[in-house]
Amino acid sequence: MHNTEEIDKFRLKEALGFLRFLRYYIEDIPSIGSISGDRVASSKMLQYRTAADVGFSVPRTIFSNNKDCVSSFFSDKERLSVKPIDSSYVWDEDKNLDYVFFTQVLQSKDVPSIPEEAFSQTVNFVQEYVPKDYEVRVTVVGDDVFATRIDSQKMPENEGAVDWRQGYNHGMKWEAIVLPEVIASRCRDLVHALGLNFGCIDLIVRPDGEYVFLECNPNGQWLWIELETGQKISESIATFLIKQNTLHYA
């Protein structure tokens, strides 16, 4: 006789299995994002290869659980960025709380003194730290491109300069901008190459004006951008869905 906990786990597994398989059955129904392709498109490895293919500059990047490999790979770099590959939260059992895993900055010279276990226990996502003039959040809806300038470098390091998400509650400034067409075109090409019709792209603009790709969130948050800047993203989404559903059911 199975206990209640085992039965509950079985029921949950069956429900999750239904949802996983359902998305392939309804993948032809028009939607924002890709019902079946979002998970694939979330792969950081795939994103960086695709971004380079469409013409973006990308940071020097390594995925490794070997300290020596990380150290030698960035021997000529001063600062590194350490990021999560998949989960953006760290669970604290003692406090029963989730903590956001923000991007962490590491000095290359400090890597040799870090215990091997800090690297060997999991795969680490490490990049060169790219100097910033400012950052840009790009929301792509079909062929519409909405760009928002984020003045992260006017903030302290732990309040948005390193990871602009930390600036939400510290007076970070946002501004709607128009991207150079070559950059806007790369954003469209990237989203479409990933099999998506929607994506939230994070870019760095270096002091020399070069745009550097960081990541694309297939289901990124966008309403806050509309509320902050007045960009009509919701209208674009509604128009896109009406058009796609009209074509689908015609």
Side-chain angles (χ1 to χ4, degrees):
M1 186 73 177
H2 294 291
N3 61 40
T4 302
E5 184 178 350
E6 290 174 336
I7 292 174
D8 287 343
K9 288 180 179 178
F10 173 79
R11 289 170 175 164
L12 179 59
K13 185 176 180 180
E14 286 295 283
L16 289 174
F18 168 76
L19 291 175
R20 291 192 188 102
F21 293 126
L22 176 64
R23 61 185 176 183
Y24 299 110
Y25 178 68
I26 61 175
E27 63 182 352
D28 62 325
I29 297 176
S31 64
I32 282 296
S34 170
I35 293 172
S36 62
D38 279 3
R39 186 62 178 166
V40 175
S42 295
S43 165
K44 298 295 193 297
M45 299 81 161
L46 178 62
Q47 287 187 13
Y48 280 105
R49 185 177 69 187
T50 306
D53 287 345
V54 302
F56 273 118
S57 294
V58 297
R60 191 174 184 183
T61 303
I62 189 172
F63 298 90
S64 178
N65 63 350
N66 185 293
K67 185 178 79 170
D68 292 339
C69 287
V70 173
S71 183
S72 61
F73 192 73
F74 295 109
S75 60
D76 59 337
K77 303 297 180 183
E78 180 179 351
R79 305 178 81 195
L80 309 179
S81 297
V82 181
K83 304 178 178 182
I85 295 175
D86 188 32
S87 177
S88 296
Y89 297 89
V90 177
W91 176 251
D92 186 329
E93 290 187 358
D94 294 334
K95 296 182 179 180
N96 198 33
L97 290 172
D98 270 333
Y99 290 95
V100 178
F101 185 167
F102 293 112
T103 299
Q104 303 294 310
V105 173
L106 180 67
Q107 300 293 324
S108 295
K109 64 180 177 61
D110 293 335
V111 172
S113 63
I114 298 174
E116 178 66 41
E117 291 77 14
F119 293 86
S120 62
Q121 292 181 358
T122 189
V123 177
N124 300 273
F125 174 19
V126 188
Q127 296 182 317
E128 63 175 310
Y129 186 81
V130 180
K132 309 171 185 177
D133 186 15
Y134 59 94
E135 299 180 69
V136 180
R137 176 68 169 238
V138 183
T139 305
V140 178
V141 182
D143 289 325
D144 292 341
V145 176
F146 302 90
T148 301
R149 173 175 171 143
I150 303 173
D151 283 319
S152 60
Q153 299 314 287
K154 295 180 180 179
M155 310 298 293
E157 281 212 352
N158 63 347
E159 294 181 3
V162 171
D163 190 324
W164 62 258
R165 294 174 300 170
Q166 291 180 283
Y168 280 136
N169 300 318
H170 298 285
M172 182 84 80
K173 300 298 183 183
W174 330 89
E175 177 188 2
I177 61 172
V178 177
L179 290 174
E181 181 51 39
V182 65
I183 303 300
S185 180
R186 287 175 187 168
C187 291
R188 294 188 195 95
D189 290 346
L190 172 69
V191 169
H192 298 162
L194 290 172
L196 306 171
N197 52 46
F198 174 90
C200 294
I201 300 170
D202 290 323
L203 304 175
I204 284 174
V205 180
R206 293 170 51 95
D208 61 7
E210 181 180 20
Y211 287 76
V212 179
F213 171 83
L214 286 185
E215 70 172 306
C216 176
N217 188 333
N219 265 315
Q221 302 296 313
W222 55 268
L223 183 57
W224 67 273
I225 298 175
E226 182 167 300
L227 295 176
E228 291 281 355
T229 68
Q231 297 179 85
K232 297 182 178 180
I233 301 174
S234 57
E235 182 178 309
S236 176
I237 291 173
T239 300
F240 176 84
L241 289 174
I242 290 171
K243 180 180 178 181
Q244 294 301 312
N245 278 279
T246 299
L247 293 172
H248 181 75
Y249 293 108

